[in-house]
């Protein structure tokens, strides 16, 4: 029988970034004993790296803004594949979620009249992003972290125990969701510090684990982003959706090699920075797609006038949604107009005075000076696309954030799918975390609170199986050392080598531009890597052993990478964060289909099946004009709406 | 531009340990954390180290490089000559867990001792009005990435375990200063509280904390000295407070 530290809670939140902390605060506010499981130290989650801001239509800078405009921008950014209800809830609730942060101590940059300042960003019609310089994510995570502390101080006063109702399990990793029948019963995992196992029995589990970027070589994501929540959901029997849509942020650092991929915030462009190729050409004007022609400036003069007079000019094309800008940069480089280190030039130095750059973009100034010897107030940056965000995730109910098919399982933030469709707008992530983090916490609390005496139970067998799985790399080491290769497998494998090969595969074969033969090749390589990963061997003991941690994370990265590759192979069109060289155009028929990934019990790879994309509610459809809808909807769908129109008029 | 560098890395756990020598490849543009990762991938996969963002934003990879408290991800190899041996040791003020990983729970306990932001009564969410120039002072302190290098360096606790109970450390005294200067925090007497309950009096403004701050926050000049002055001022002299405003550094 496995020795594992045992706890009991009402709600377990896996992940301590923006979504996880917001969910935990909400669950605790509804009286639930709540556990937060945090892969790193408390306050270090990937949210900390978000730079630009939180999108919310408060209308502080341009009073024309409202939730309907935000909703419209979000749907356009996602090329109409978004779940309309999620996009609606997000746009409606984001302002309240931002204002609430102020009551917990957040200090955003201000407008002249003392309200929260808002900045321009790609795809957003009005200045919409609440921000603190270019370190908004830090402000968000610190505010939520400090609110958790505030709740613990309350508990200290009330019960003499700060952890009476909310506890952070820092540097703990969950490797399995445990179930009782079809329902969630708890979680199993290990503590990094000691290597010991733990189980938490709880009827409700919120996944808030973020994304999958560490499966790619060039990424802006931190080490935690190994697709844990995606994989945990699949293994627990919940489906994922939209996994083919992976966002490559157009501007990552490209030099020196060791920092390749580190994010250069979109605020650089939002605040006036421009993209140029090696010929000095401001090339984005050539890349405005038809669907956006009416909303973007056709030349530099109009674009430059827009910053001062947005009502009478159209936006510069540097502020197109991220997928468009990333593809444009990719193409400039491919056609030989790249910068010396294989990117393009992003310049603010000629656009505003040095002092203003340092005030508005302090982290960028610091980052380039310290890591690349580049003074961005005097010279342009070199930038190129970097894997940044996965739009795909756990298929959830839009209102409750409950995962399909597994009662008691919830998902919020990057690990949940649907909200962003095929491409996320900058700034919509932090607001997503808050809006759906709160909803997940609320509904998990209601579910757990209503369960009464019928609490699911964690079975010893499941705990033993999870422990055996986690110990496998050590067991192999014992088998390998005295007698050579273990039975039935190949030679022992180094988890770091496997990880590097996985990243190279995904980067080269399922990256920003995709082709059928390459994706087939990727799937073959992934299958071989999966077999080899079973031979991953760990040296040393269980206490804080990064090699072991990586060996366990590999399972998740491989599972999720296969979902991405398989879904990408299936979708024979280009849309948002999925670009097919062999199917270069957007196909209106494909908008009606979502790709669902499921893992059958005992199966090693997920199956991908299409299902219909739910039709948008009519009042939301009416926020767009017919001409625009024609670009996205099939004739059949349009006819359906216009016939409803006709009925309505009768 | 590649070369073989000599590294000495502290290996061990709470029971003890020693510096271990490695020869390892270094390439152009790399930082110390890259080299630690290369050691893990090619020579010693169980070498324990904390890191997250590798971009100086999360404050996880704090250690002492050639005796200087630094973020490993922001310490470029080009600051050393190829002949130089680079020595990496864990932060000295906190108990070692394994290799370069220390038990930093001291900091989380201290964080919990600082009274949280107290919202102003009668001001609804959405109704907060503050001027940029008034939030700027606290915003500087909120740049803190909680790398705990200041806590590690401060001589009040660096070699004085006995002071830990009574001293919150620069990071959390700065948190008091941040809330003291927050235009809408409703809690009174934060400066006095810092003095009476969080050990502000132990600080004799040697500025070691400021020197090691990777975010270049002027912890001493802008947070601790004004806090000290406010604590004194409320009891004795209102003019001292004015002086603190004039002396404040910016940038």
């Amino acid at each position: 029988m496995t020795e594992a530290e045992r706890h009991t809670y009402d709600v377990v939140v896996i992940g301590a970034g923006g979504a996880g902390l917001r969910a935990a605060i909400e669950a605790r506010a509804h009286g639930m004993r709540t556990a937060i499981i945090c892969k790193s130290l408390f306050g270090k989650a990937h949210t900390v790296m978000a730079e630009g801001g939180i999108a919310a239509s408060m209308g502080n800078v341009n009073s024309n803004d409202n939730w309907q405009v935000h909703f419209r921008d979000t749907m356009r950014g996602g090329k109409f594949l978004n779940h309309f209800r999620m996009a609606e809830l997000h746009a409606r609730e984001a302002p309240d979620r931002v204002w609430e942060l102020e009551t917990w101590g957040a200090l955003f940059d201000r407008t002249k009249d003392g309200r929260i300042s808002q900045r321009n960003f790609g795809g957003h019609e009005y200045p919409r992003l609440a921000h603190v310089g270019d370190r908004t994510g830090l402000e968000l995570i610190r505010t939520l972290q400090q609110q958790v502390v505030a709740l613990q101080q309350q508990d200290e006063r009330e019960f003499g125990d700060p952890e009476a109702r909310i506890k952070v399990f820092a540097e703990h990793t969950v490797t399995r969701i445990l179930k009782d029948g079809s329902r969630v019963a708890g979680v199993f995992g290990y503590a990094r510090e000691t290597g010991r196992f733990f189980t938490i029995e709880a009827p409700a589990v919120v996944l808030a684990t973020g994304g999958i970027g560490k499966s790619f070589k060039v990424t802006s994501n931190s080490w935690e982003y190994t697709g844990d929540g995606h994989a945990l959901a699949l293994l627990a029997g919940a489906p994922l959706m939209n996994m083919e849509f992976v966002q490559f942020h157009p501007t990552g650092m490209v030099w020196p090699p060791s920092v390749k991929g580190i994010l250069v915030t979109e605020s650089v462009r939002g605040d006036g920075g421009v993209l140029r190729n090696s010929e000095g050409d401001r090339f984005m004007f050539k890349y405005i797609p038809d669907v956006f022609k009416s909303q973007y400036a056709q030349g530099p003069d109009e674009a430059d006038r827009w910053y001062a007079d947005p009502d009478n000019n159209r936006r510069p094309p540097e502020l197109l949604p991220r997928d468009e800008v990333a593809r444009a940069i990719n193409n400039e480089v491919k056609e030989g107009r790249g910068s010396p280190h294989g990117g393009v030039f992003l310049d603010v130095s000629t656009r505003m005075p040095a002092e203003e750059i340092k005030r508005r973009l302090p982290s960028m100034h610091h980052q380039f000076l310290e890591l690349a010897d580049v003074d961005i107030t005097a010279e342009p940056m070199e930038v190129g696309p970097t894997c940044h965000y996965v739009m795909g995730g756990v298929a959830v109910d839009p209102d409750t954030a409950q995962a399909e098919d597994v009662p008691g399982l919830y998902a919020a933030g990057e690990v949940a799918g649907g909200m962003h469709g095929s491409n996320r707008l900058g700034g919509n992530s932090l607001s997503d975390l808050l809006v759906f983090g709160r909803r997940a916490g609320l509904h998990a609390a209601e579910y757990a609170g209503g369960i009464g005496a019928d609490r699911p139970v964690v079975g010893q067998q499941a705990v033993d199986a999870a422990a055996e799985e986690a110990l496998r790399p050590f067991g192999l080491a014992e088998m390998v050392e005295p007698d050579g290769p273990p039975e039935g497998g190949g030679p022992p494998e180094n988890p770091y080598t496997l990880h590097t090969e996985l990243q190279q595969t995904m980067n080269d074969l399922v990256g920003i531009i995709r082709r059928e033969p390459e994706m087939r090749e990727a799937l073959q390589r992934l299958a071989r890597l999966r077999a080899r990963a079973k031979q991953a061997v760990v040296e040393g003991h269980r206490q804080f052993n990064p090699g072991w941690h990586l060996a366990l994370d590999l399972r998740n990265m491989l599972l999720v990478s296969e979902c991405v590759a398989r879904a990408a192979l299936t979708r024979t069109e280009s849309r948002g964060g999925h670009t097919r060289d062999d199917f270069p155009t957007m196909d209106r028929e494909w908008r009606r289909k979502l790709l669902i990934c499921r893992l059958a019990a005992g199966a090693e790879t997920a199956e991908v099946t299409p299902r219909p994309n739910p039709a948008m509610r009519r009042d939301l459809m009416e926020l767009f004009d017919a001409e625009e809808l024609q670009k996205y909807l099939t004739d059949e769908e349009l006819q359906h709406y216009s016939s409803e129109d006709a009925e309505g008029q009768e | 531009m590649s070369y073989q560098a000599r590294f000495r890395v502290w290996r061990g756990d709470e029971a003890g340990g020693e510096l271990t020598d490695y020869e390892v490849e270094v390439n152009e543009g790399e930082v110390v954390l890259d080299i630690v990762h290369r050691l893990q991938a090619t020579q010693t996969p169980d070498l324990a180290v904390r890191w997250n963002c590798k971009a100086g934003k999360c404050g996880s990879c704090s250690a002492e490089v050639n005796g200087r408290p630094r973020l490993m991800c922001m310490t470029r190899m080009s600051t050393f000559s190829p002949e130089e041996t680079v020595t990496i040791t864990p932060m000295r003020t906190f108990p070692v867990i394994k290799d370069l990983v220390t038990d930093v729970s001291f900091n989380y306990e201290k964080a919990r001792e600082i009274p949280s932001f107290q919202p102003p009564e009668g001001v609804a969410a959405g109704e907060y009005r503050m001027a940029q120039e008034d939030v700027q002072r606290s915003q500087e302190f909120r740049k803190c990435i909680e790398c705990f290098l200041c806590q590690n360096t401060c001589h009040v606790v660096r070699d004085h375990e006995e002071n830990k109970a009574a001293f919150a450390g620069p990071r959390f005294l700065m948190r008091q200063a941040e809330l003291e200067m927050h235009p809408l925090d409703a809690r009174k007497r934060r400066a006095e509280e810092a003095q009476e309950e969080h050990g502000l009096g132990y600080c004799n403004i040697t500025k070691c904390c400021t020197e090691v701050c990777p975010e270049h926050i002027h912890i001493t000049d802008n947070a601790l000295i004004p806090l000290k002055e406010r604590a004194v001022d409320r009891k004795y002299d209102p003019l001292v407070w004015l002086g603190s405003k004039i002396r404040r550094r910016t940038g």
Side-chain angles (χ1 to χ4, degrees):
Chain A
M1 201 172 97
T2 310
E3 263 187 57
E5 197 179 293
R6 292 194 92 132
H7 306 271
T8 306
Y9 280 84
D10 298 318
V11 175
V12 175
V13 179
I14 310 176
L21 295 182
R22 188 62 191 83
I25 289 167
E26 196 67 14
R28 155 71 174 73
H30 286 80
M32 294 297 112
R33 282 190 74 238
T34 304
I36 300 168
I37 312 210
C38 183
K39 204 169 166 182
S40 298
L41 290 174
F42 189 30
K44 306 296 182 196
H46 192 57
T47 305
V48 91
M49 293 180 76
E51 292 164 354
I54 314 176
S57 61
M58 297 180 285
N60 291 350
V61 172
N62 189 323
S63 58
N64 291 327
D65 204 8
N66 56 43
W67 77 261
Q68 289 93 337
V69 184
H70 190 184
F71 168 80
R72 226 161 41 199
D73 290 344
T74 300
M75 294 300 294
R76 285 171 181 153
K79 297 270 162 53
F80 273 69
L81 199 84
N82 323 50
H83 195 300
F84 67 89
R85 177 63 177 159
M86 291 178 91
E88 178 196 10
L89 288 169
H90 167 259
R92 280 180 187 266
E93 294 178 3
D96 282 338
R97 297 286 79 75
V98 173
W99 285 321
E100 171 179 82
L101 294 177
E102 287 199 300
T103 70
W104 297 341
L107 284 174
F108 293 103
D109 288 348
R110 318 305 296 181
T111 60
K112 289 256 182 303
D113 63 353
R115 293 186 291 173
I116 296 172
S117 178
Q118 299 185 267
R119 69 157 42 114
N120 283 307
F121 236 57
H124 292 281
E125 186 163 346
Y126 298 116
R128 187 175 286 147
L129 271 65
H131 60 274
V132 186
D134 51 6
R135 59 158 189 88
T136 314
L138 175 64
E139 186 68 14
L140 177 63
I141 201 123
R142 205 62 85 226
T143 301
L144 294 171
Q145 179 186 350
Q146 288 164 348
Q147 181 59 15
V148 168
V149 168
L151 294 170
Q152 292 182 323
Q153 291 171 344
Q154 262 178 31
D155 281 1
E156 169 83 57
R157 289 192 293 272
E158 206 170 316
F159 304 101
D161 173 11
E163 294 176 336
R165 287 182 295 182
I166 189 163
K167 180 175 162 75
V168 179
F169 291 80
E171 299 193 310
H172 282 57
T173 303
V174 171
T175 59
R176 281 278 174 172
I177 307 279
L178 303 173
K179 287 168 69 179
D180 181 355
S182 67
R183 298 184 301 165
V184 163
V187 299
F188 174 91
Y190 63 88
R192 301 176 89 75
E193 182 178 331
T194 59
R196 293 204 189 105
F197 294 133
F198 71 94
T199 63
I200 303 180
E201 202 161 56
V205 170
V206 178
L207 296 172
T209 51
I212 67 163
K214 275 294 162 191
S215 298
F216 290 79
K217 187 179 172 196
V218 179
T219 176
S220 63
N221 290 176
S222 76
W223 75 269
E224 300 180 296
Y225 265 37
T226 50
D228 293 5
H230 291 80
L232 290 171
L234 277 178
L235 289 164
L240 307 183
M241 63 192 273
N242 295 352
M243 290 305 290
E244 65 274 35
F245 299 109
V246 177
Q247 180 171 81
F248 289 80
H249 194 291
T251 59
M253 291 177 81
V254 294
W255 194 91
S258 80
V259 301
K260 192 165 181 173
I262 292 181
L263 190 65
V264 179
T265 176
E266 189 167 330
S267 318
V268 176
R269 285 169 285 136
D271 289 358
V274 294
L275 291 164
R276 294 199 183 94
N277 61 22
S278 60
E279 295 165 4
D281 179 24
R282 199 172 154 185
F283 57 84
M284 278 308 300
F285 292 101
K286 292 187 303 196
Y287 292 95
I288 306 171
D290 281 345
V291 288
F292 291 122
K293 274 254 152 54
S294 62
Q295 297 148 33
Y296 287 81
Q298 300 297 312
D301 294 341
E302 182 182 2
D304 285 348
R305 284 196 305 269
W306 173 83
Y307 292 99
D309 181 13
D311 291 341
N312 296 304
N313 294 285
R314 289 169 298 177
R315 273 175 287 169
E318 278 87 0
L319 293 179
L320 277 161
R322 287 174 176 173
D323 53 330
E324 308 290 355
V325 183
R327 270 191 300 269
I329 293 175
N330 199 67
N331 197 55
E332 287 295 307
V333 175
K334 201 175 94 186
E335 293 185 354
R337 294 184 296 275
S339 65
H341 299 101
V344 295
F345 296 107
L346 172 60
D347 185 29
V348 275
S349 66
T350 58
R351 309 279 296 173
M352 59 178 102
E355 279 314 307
E356 197 174 343
I357 295 172
K358 283 190 218 167
R359 187 176 62 76
R360 289 199 198 198
L361 304 164
S363 311
M364 287 303 107
H365 182 249
H366 180 73
Q367 180 174 312
F368 271 88
L369 210 54
E370 301 258 333
L371 294 176
D373 290 325
V374 168
D375 178 359
I376 67 167
T377 66
E379 53 192 317
M381 299 160 248
E382 278 186 70
V383 296
T386 178
C387 178
H388 185 57
Y389 189 88
V390 61
M391 271 66 71
V394 180
V396 291
D397 176 78
D399 286 75
T400 64
Q402 183 174 351
E404 287 177 16
D405 301 347
V406 183
L409 188 62
Y410 297 78
E414 190 170 350
V415 69
M419 159 68 208
H420 305 287
S422 68
N423 173 54
R424 174 175 71 78
L425 291 184
N428 271 1
S429 182
L430 294 185
S431 41
D432 169 9
L433 305 183
L434 295 169
V435 167
F436 293 103
R438 177 188 152 276
R439 285 186 163 268
L442 169 68
H443 293 282
E446 282 181 357
Y447 173 84
I451 212 148
D454 184 27
R455 274 178 89 99
V457 178
V458 168
Q460 186 60 41
Q461 213 181 351
V463 174
D464 289 341
E468 196 187 317
E469 177 185 48
L471 285 175
R472 192 182 152 85
F474 287 109
L476 270 178
E478 283 161 24
M479 280 189 275
V480 169
E481 277 163 15
D483 307 317
E487 202 185 331
E493 296 280 353
N494 176 343
Y496 294 96
T497 308
L498 294 170
H499 186 209
T500 306
E501 288 183 32
L502 166 65
Q503 291 180 314
Q504 195 73 52
T505 299
M506 292 305 284
N507 225 75
D508 293 350
L509 304 177
V510 201
I512 181 164
I513 309 289
R514 298 160 174 177
R515 298 166 189 90
E516 180 175 334
E518 290 182 355
M519 287 185 284
R520 292 200 182 280
E521 167 71 22
L523 283 166
Q524 284 173 11
R525 285 199 206 172
L526 289 170
R528 287 198 294 272
L529 281 169
R530 181 158 29 86
R532 288 170 61 196
K534 288 187 188 142
Q535 310 304 324
V537 166
V538 173
E539 282 177 30
H541 51 76
R542 280 163 66 177
Q543 190 189 21
F544 217 113
N545 186 336
W548 180 38
H549 306 155
L550 181 58
L552 297 180
D553 289 345
L554 273 174
R555 176 199 71 187
N556 301 341
M557 286 187 273
L558 282 163
L559 202 49
V560 170
S561 296
E562 293 217 19
C563 289
V564 174
R566 242 173 250 284
L569 182 61
T570 310
R571 185 173 283 272
T572 50
E573 66 154 351
S574 291
R575 179 185 298 271
H578 170 63
T579 305
R580 290 282 299 255
D581 206 32
D582 41 2
F583 297 92
T585 55
M586 191 160 77
D587 175 352
R588 292 182 300 170
E589 282 295 339
W590 261 113
R591 196 202 67 81
R592 307 177 73 181
K593 276 182 266 181
L594 301 174
L595 295 176
I596 303 294
C597 303
R598 280 176 197 279
L599 189 68
E604 289 201 319
T605 59
E607 274 182 24
V608 175
T609 47
R611 82 166 174 213
N613 190 4
M616 202 192 298
R617 230 174 45 228
R618 198 164 148 213
D619 58 311
L620 296 175
M621 196 65 91
E622 283 168 0
L623 295 171
F624 301 90
D625 61 35
E627 202 182 334
E628 181 170 14
L629 290 177
Q630 275 170 11
K631 296 169 186 166
Y632 297 103
L633 272 57
T634 60
D635 294 342
E636 189 190 336
E637 288 172 287
L638 287 165
Q639 230 163 31
H640 172 73
Y641 280 103
S642 57
S643 68
E644 275 186 14
D645 250 355
E647 281 165 29
Q649 283 160 8
E650 273 166 22
Chain B
M1 290 290 285
S2 296
Y3 67 95
Q4 292 290 316
R6 282 195 300 277
F7 264 69
R8 308 192 80 192
V9 182
W10 196 89
R11 303 298 306 270
D13 54 28
E14 58 183 345
E18 59 182 8
L19 289 168
T20 305
D21 290 294
Y22 298 97
E23 280 219 3
V24 53
E25 185 183 307
V26 173
N27 303 308
E28 190 181 4
E30 288 183 331
V31 294
V32 168
L33 185 59
D34 289 315
I35 311 309
V36 171
H37 284 159
R38 184 162 299 124
L39 286 173
Q40 283 183 328
T42 59
Q43 300 185 34
T44 174
D46 62 342
L47 168 59
V49 60
R50 279 199 186 100
W51 71 286
N52 276 35
C53 75
K54 207 175 160 291
K57 293 190 167 65
C58 74
S60 301
C61 62
S62 305
E64 304 194 359
V65 182
N66 290 349
R68 288 193 64 82
R70 312 262 329 188
L71 292 178
M72 285 184 276
C73 72
M74 297 303 277
T75 306
R76 294 182 67 183
M77 286 305 296
S78 59
T79 56
F80 310 106
S81 72
E83 295 76 37
E84 206 172 338
T85 300
V86 179
T87 304
I88 316 177
T89 49
M91 286 193 284
R92 190 164 93 197
T93 303
F94 310 118
V96 166
I97 292 173
K98 191 182 156 203
D99 304 336
L100 300 176
V101 173
T102 57
D103 176 357
V104 292
S105 55
F106 165 77
N107 301 290
Y108 290 94
E109 284 155 24
K110 293 297 167 183
R112 219 182 256 167
E113 289 170 11
I114 306 296
S116 297
F117 172 69
Q118 192 176 322
E121 265 188 56
V123 186
E127 298 301 320
Y128 282 44
R129 297 289 179 271
M130 296 176 264
Q132 182 61 39
E133 61 199 39
D134 292 333
V135 299
Q136 224 144 278
R137 308 188 70 180
S138 299
Q139 278 184 332
E140 181 191 1
F141 311 141
R142 289 182 74 82
K143 276 162 59 184
C144 171
I145 57 174
E146 297 201 334
C147 63
F148 307 131
L149 286 173
C150 61
Q151 303 283 89
N152 171 55
T153 306
C154 179
H155 63 88
V156 175
V157 286
R158 185 160 171 96
D159 290 308
H160 294 279
E161 195 63 30
E162 72 278 9
N163 288 341
K164 280 186 175 171
F167 185 63
R171 194 277 169 261
F172 298 103
L173 291 168
M174 181 175 81
R175 167 79 169 140
Q176 275 288 31
E178 171 211 318
L179 290 164
E180 162 76 24
M181 296 177 199
H182 188 302
L184 290 177
D185 177 60
R187 192 177 176 90
K188 303 275 185 273
R189 297 190 75 254
R190 284 193 183 270
E192 294 89 324
E193 214 167 46
Q195 188 75 22
E196 291 157 13
E197 291 168 39
H198 304 124
L200 181 59
Y202 284 81
C203 165
N204 51 5
I205 56 173
T206 52
K207 303 196 181 184
C208 313
C209 52
T210 305
E211 239 168 77
V212 298
C213 178
E215 287 293 303
H216 308 301
I217 301 170
H218 296 110
I219 306 172
T220 318
D221 285 347
N222 291 354
L224 304 186
I225 292 175
L227 200 62
K228 277 171 175 280
E229 287 169 339
R230 285 180 186 207
V232 174
D233 144 51
R234 302 241 173 91
K235 286 176 183 157
Y236 308 104
D237 184 2
L239 281 176
V240 180
W241 179 81
L242 192 67
S244 74
K245 280 194 125 173
I246 294 164
R247 203 178 306 157
R248 196 173 78 90
R249 273 205 236 159
T250 54

